[in-house]
Amino acid sequence: PDPQPSLDAGYYYPDGDTGRVFATWAAFDDWRRGAGKRRPGATRVAVGFYKSNYYAGDTVLLDAVIAEIERQGAEAIPVFGYPAGLAFEALLLDAGGDARADVALAFVFRFAGPEAAASLQKINIPVISLISLYGRSEAEWRASPEGLSMFEGTFQVAVPELSGLVAPTVVGSQERLEDPATGLAIVVRQPIASRVTMAVRRALRYAALRATPNTDKRVAVLFYNYPPGKAGIGASYLNVAESLENILRRLEREGYDLGDGDIDLSAEAV
């Protein structure tokens, strides 16, 4: 076949070979229907990744996540594009402004910032941050007393949180293997199976929580109080009492059950 230009953004799905990419939702959805990947009524899980993973043939971890989504009975909607926020907005919203997914798992937003939050707010679904270890094997990570390195903590936890991602979860590592063709040692990205299973299960639970009426949700509010007592809730001179008041009033406005009877939500009472 003739060479084809690479896509800056689009949809992807493994096909048992090198995978397929699609520039439009219509083309992607038509292929899914023909390939038996549609599951009406199932939870829809978007998976965000960098296009370089596909074009470099580095999809083993991505494909493992997609396979686990299918195994747990959900629909997978893998997407790529940069900047991640704009790509998510363009690919995961339909013409009516409704989300095409119920929850997302994301390897992206590593170099995003607060500006991406505006796009995610339009989609209005939970986005869970997936972490692939940088330059370390699973065994090295499990043996490490610090878990993530400072580099990983910055670009795979802190920066994505600025965009609104939650629940950072390690799902992949880099393993040294022997290339059977050359006998040379190579480093490849591999899934950590138990962690992939946990991440997908977590995503499905976030989707179920999103669909639960606010009146039926149970929310714990933890606040700084050390040493115990009224004098210990200052948290470096931050106004904890007023912050709690604002949080409780917001919860009340959005239909959360704060209990029976009149409750004094003022900062003084708190």
Side-chain angles (χ1 to χ4, degrees), residues 89-112:
E89 185 178 343
L91 299 169
L92 295 178
L93 286 178
D94 64 19
D98 295 323
R100 291 179 167 130
D102 303 301
V103 65
L105 296 164
F107 289 103
V108 288
F109 296 95
R110 301 294 176 256
F111 308 99

Side-chain angles (χ1 to χ4, degrees), residues 109 112-118 120 154 157-165:
F109 296 95
E115 69 282 352
L120 294 184
T154 299
V157 177
V159 173
E161 284 183 354
L162 295 176
S163 301
L165 275 66

Side-chain angles (χ1 to χ4, degrees), residues 38-72:
R38 293 280 304 273
R39 298 186 179 185
T43 301
R44 303 164 300 170
V45 184
V47 184
F49 66 99
Y50 290 107
K51 79 170 191 176
S52 59
N53 292 119
Y54 170 72
Y55 287 107
D58 182 16
T59 61
V60 173
L61 173 56
L62 172 63
D63 291 352
V65 172
I66 295 168
E68 183 61 23
I69 292 170
E70 291 182 338
R71 192 189 71 80
Q72 294 194 31

Side-chain angles (χ1 to χ4, degrees), residues 108-190:
V108 288
F109 296 95
R110 301 294 176 256
F111 308 99
E115 69 282 352
S119 294
L120 294 184
Q121 190 170 17
K122 294 177 184 178
I123 305 169
N124 194 29
I125 61 174
V127 183
I128 294 172
S129 180
L130 297 185
I131 297 173
S132 178
L133 299 172
Y134 182 77
R136 290 191 295 162
S137 68
E138 177 185 353
E140 290 170 332
W141 169 64
R142 291 191 182 278
S144 170
E146 63 182 11
L148 298 179
S149 67
M150 184 178 296
F151 177 86
E152 290 163 335
T154 299
F155 290 101
Q156 302 210 68
V157 177
V159 173
E161 284 183 354
L162 295 176
S163 301
L165 275 66
V166 298
T169 307
V170 173
V171 294
S173 61
Q174 291 187 312
E175 304 294 334
R176 185 177 296 274
L177 304 176
E178 181 179 299
D179 182 2
T182 65
L184 297 176
I186 57 175
V187 176
V188 296
R189 197 178 312 278
Q190 294 286 301

